[in-house]
Amino acid sequence: MHLTWILTKRELGAYFDSPAAYVVLSVFLLFTGWFFANPLFLENTASLRSVFDLIPFIYLFFVPAVTMSTFAEERRAGTLELLLTLPIRDWQVIAGKLLAVVIFLGVGLAATLLYPLSLSLMGDLDLGQTVGGYAGLLLLGTTCGAIGMFASSLTRNQIVAFIIGFGIIFVLFLLDKVTVFAPGWLAGVLEYLGTDFHARNMMRGVIDSRDVLYYVSVTFFATLLTAYSLSRRPE
Amino acid sequence: MIEVDHLVKLYGAERAVNDISFEVKQGEVLGFLGPNGAGKSTTMKTITCYLPPTEGTVRVDGRDVRTDGLEVRRRIGYLPEHTPLYTDMVVRDYLAFMARMRGVDPGDVRDRIRDMAARCGLESVLHKQIDTLSKGFRQRVGLAQAMIHNPPILILDEPTTGLDPNQIVEIRELIRSIGQEKTVILSTHILPEVQASCDRVLIIHRGNLVADGTPGELQAGYQGAQTVHIRVDADARAVWQVLAPLEGVEVAHQEQDAEGWTHCVVSTREKADLRPELFRLAVENGWTLAELYRDEADLEDVFRQLTSN
């Protein structure tokens, strides 16, 4: 376990040592800030609704951008071989990197805590919805992160990793939005498979084990695929 | 220490390593020699547990790479080809990270870094970011990370590629000093390197082991042409007329210099030493003999003979 954490710390160091991380985080905060302040001042709505609705959209681009380097860059630079010949198991490498991605996404989300904080000073904040929303977004981010890392494990080119990651995450994001075109029996399945659907459930303030289970199992599945992709050791 | 037994590695249908067996004893410095793409790196990658063997077994310290990979990896310090490093890190941080990942106690990390910096000559660059370093320094950082946990075995894939001559000498000296206490496998396609640093040489060609022995043994077993140089004060044509009719001997090169000396290179496929015969001929024809020597077969000849078909 502690090897995983040492790796996570290195990954976080790599993120926060590079200016790209701050640019990406600033853009993230700029967008969310706009979508928070706009309804607040123009429509007099004291709600996190628009921020919560926006973040899954931002994650479509944001998460693959964060994860695209995880394995692709290591493969390109050859450090993957060094990493995988250290006395550490492949799954620990994946776990360490995923943990770093989740912490990075968590830092972005934590910065937006300013919005609910300011709302609570001005009026009534629905604590259930806020907690549920943040939990849902973090789970959504983790799932997308695991998928993005899988995409990154397929190639040595970060741009290709970004596009593959974006593609998969986008399809999963769309699934519950195309149910009108699907026959009734399929609609329920599609809805359940959609990543966004479960986050929106949680934003209502209901933390349902089915939603949590969905994120955990998709994350697990994506991680398994990554492990398989790494075990093939193509070069 | 390391036993490779009937190792086969396939990449798809291609046999990168074809039934190689060898053993490395403790404290030995073993050189893998072979043209590019011969299977040197692949063999090393199976020993370091990066690639699983397709067939055969690889054991390090009695532990199978397939079933006991973590224990094998703990005993090995590995420097892959092209010296991959996290170039965005500072040397000290990088060494600390690798030390922790390789199982060095947090309390010992400082001491280990200091030792390695002294040994590999890194004191002056510990605070520099790796991507600002020269190739020679990067190579030393790569060696330092491989040795940071004081492993009994070091595996170095082409440790001197891309260095300038001075750096090559430095790295070679470093490897020789390491080789006094550790088991080392290094690969190269540069022959003098093997002669300079290895106790034993394996020549690999197209995935097959074609030679195994000390550099001296390989030279002794060489079955190639014998070449003798002779320099006399006679006319080139006269020399040719004497030497050409000799049976089984070929005049490979002949040249008369400005001072009138004729330099002649003769070669034969026969084992018998040509020098007494040439001396006799020189005396017989009244030539003054300035030079008469035989080319020793060097590893280069052995290598070319074994890998040129």
Side-chain angles (χ1 to χ4, degrees):
Chain A
M1 187 59 214
H2 77 285
L3 283 182
T4 310
W5 180 238
I6 295 167
L7 182 62
T8 303
K9 280 195 293 187
R10 196 211 83 78
E11 292 287 319
L12 285 174
Y15 279 133
F16 289 106
D17 275 349
S18 100
Y22 298 96
V23 172
V24 168
L25 278 178
S26 308
V27 171
F28 178 72
L29 289 177
L30 209 64
F31 273 104
T32 53
W34 172 258
F35 274 76
F36 170 68
N38 222 18
L40 182 67
F41 294 117
L42 299 181
E43 297 162 27
N44 277 329
T45 346
S47 157
L48 288 171
R49 186 86 242 167
S50 52
V51 175
F52 281 170
D53 282 346
L54 174 75
I55 288 179
F57 261 111
I58 297 183
Y59 272 1
L60 287 179
F61 304 92
F62 184 63
V63 177
V66 173
T67 59
M68 65 183 184
S69 68
T70 45
F71 289 109
E73 177 58 21
E74 296 237 20
R75 180 166 285 176
R76 191 198 57 75
T79 46
L80 190 63
E81 185 175 343
L82 203 56
L83 189 60
L84 294 179
T85 50
L86 290 173
I88 179 171
R89 294 182 193 283
D90 286 9
W91 69 259
Q92 288 176 300
V93 172
I94 300 169
K97 282 176 176 277
L98 182 60
L99 191 56
V101 168
V102 171
I103 291 174
F104 186 80
L105 294 176
V107 168
L109 281 180
T112 68
L113 284 174
L114 202 62
Y115 313 149
L117 204 69
S118 52
L119 281 187
S120 69
L121 295 177
M122 291 183 278
D124 276 343
L125 179 76
D126 189 325
L127 202 62
Q129 283 183 5
T130 309
V131 171
Y134 274 105
L137 287 173
L138 196 62
L139 282 170
L140 174 70
T142 306
T143 304
C144 295
I147 294 169
M149 277 173 52
F150 166 62
S152 185
S153 75
L154 296 173
T155 170
R156 54 169 57 214
N157 183 325
Q158 294 193 46
I159 307 297
V160 173
F162 176 85
I163 292 167
I164 297 174
F166 170 76
I168 301 173
I169 295 168
F170 188 51
V171 167
L172 289 173
F173 175 80
L174 278 186
L175 280 183
D176 68 307
K177 291 167 188 63
V178 297
T179 47
V180 282
F181 305 111
W185 61 271
L186 191 59
V189 177
L190 285 182
E191 198 173 57
Y192 187 78
L193 289 178
T195 42
D196 191 28
F197 171 70
H198 302 278
R200 276 188 286 114
N201 277 349
M202 294 175 78
M203 285 167 200
R204 287 192 210 110
V206 192
I207 297 185
D208 189 329
S209 60
R210 272 176 306 177
D211 298 325
V212 176
L213 189 67
Y214 167 84
Y215 286 126
V216 171
S217 44
V218 174
T219 303
F220 186 68
F221 183 64
T223 308
L224 274 186
L225 288 178
T226 311
Y228 176 71
S229 159
L230 287 186
S231 74
R232 307 250 316 148
R233 307 265 201 271
E235 200 73 29
Chain B
M1 199 79 184
I2 301 171
E3 301 150 63
V4 175
D5 192 23
H6 295 290
L7 173 68
V8 175
K9 179 69 197 175
L10 303 181
Y11 288 129
E14 188 198 340
R15 285 178 107 75
V17 175
N18 187 13
D19 198 17
I20 283 184
S21 301
F22 63 89
E23 238 177 83
V24 189
K25 291 185 197 69
Q26 188 156 2
E28 210 168 18
V29 180
L30 179 77
F32 269 179
L33 203 58
N36 293 325
K40 299 174 303 228
S41 292
T42 307
T43 309
M44 291 180 145
K45 283 173 205 228
T46 54
I47 299 172
T48 55
C49 307
Y50 182 65
L51 296 173
T54 310
E55 279 168 42
T57 53
V58 177
R59 259 192 278 271
V60 175
D61 226 359
R63 292 161 198 273
D64 195 307
V65 293
R66 261 191 263 246
T67 55
D68 219 353
L70 286 188
E71 281 303 316
V72 170
R73 290 184 234 179
R74 277 195 192 106
R75 285 164 173 72
I76 292 177
Y78 180 36
L79 176 62
E81 204 175 350
H82 309 307
T83 322
L85 301 165
Y86 290 115
T87 50
D88 54 346
M89 291 178 93
V90 169
V91 174
R92 179 188 291 281
D93 294 347
Y94 176 68
L95 291 179
F97 167 68
M98 291 307 275
R100 295 298 314 280
M101 291 299 279
R102 295 202 134 122
V104 175
D105 266 0
D108 298 338
V109 169
R110 272 181 91 85
D111 288 345
R112 291 302 303 161
I113 293 177
R114 197 178 325 116
D115 281 2
M116 282 304 109
R119 182 121 200 219
C120 302
L122 288 171
E123 288 106 332
S124 59
V125 298
L126 274 178
H127 296 284
K128 286 193 179 164
Q129 197 163 311
I130 293 174
D131 57 9
T132 64
L133 299 182
S134 69
K135 187 91 178 52
F137 270 121
R138 286 184 193 206
Q139 208 74 26
R140 293 190 216 182
V141 174
L143 280 171
Q145 66 78 20
M147 294 191 292
I148 194 105
H149 57 313
N150 202 13
I153 300 168
L154 268 182
I155 296 189
L156 313 172
D157 199 349
E158 308 212 346
T160 57
T161 309
L163 300 181
D164 70 33
N166 291 333
Q167 294 167 333
I168 289 181
V169 171
E170 284 168 18
I171 295 288
R172 235 182 244 164
E173 267 162 18
L174 189 53
I175 290 172
R176 205 175 309 145
S177 81
I178 298 162
Q180 284 165 0
E181 44 193 282
K182 293 187 193 303
T183 307
V184 181
I185 299 185
L186 64 92
S187 79
T188 177
H189 52 264
I190 305 163
L191 294 144
E193 190 141 302
V194 177
Q195 270 157 322
S197 18
C198 300
D199 304 326
R200 206 172 122 214
V201 186
L202 297 183
I203 299 184
I204 299 178
H205 182 50
R206 292 195 187 139
N208 293 298
L209 196 60
V210 292
D212 177 352
T214 64
E217 282 168 4
L218 293 188
Q219 279 162 31
Y222 175 65
Q223 300 285 323
Q226 177 190 161
T227 310
V228 178
H229 296 252
I230 180 168
R231 192 184 293 271
V232 292
D233 69 337
D235 191 54
R237 188 186 311 224
V239 175
W240 192 82
Q241 275 168 351
V242 172
L243 296 183
L246 289 174
E247 206 169 314
V249 173
E250 196 187 326
V251 179
H253 175 81
Q254 193 179 28
E255 172 179 53
Q256 190 163 12
D257 65 20
E259 292 163 45
W261 295 97
T262 296
H263 174 224
C264 194
V265 182
V266 294
S267 65
T268 175
R269 295 234 146 244
E270 274 161 42
K271 278 260 129 193
D273 195 344
L274 269 182
R275 286 174 298 182
E277 173 72 2
L278 290 176
F279 181 74
R280 202 183 54 75
L281 287 171
V283 173
E284 218 165 74
N285 291 283
W287 300 334
T288 307
L289 191 62
E291 280 173 12
L292 176 63
Y293 61 93
R294 183 167 65 167
D295 271 347
E296 292 295 332
D298 58 13
L299 262 189
E300 208 151 333
D301 298 311
V302 182
F303 180 73
R304 227 176 290 143
Q305 185 194 20
L306 290 169
T307 59
S308 60
N309 46 9

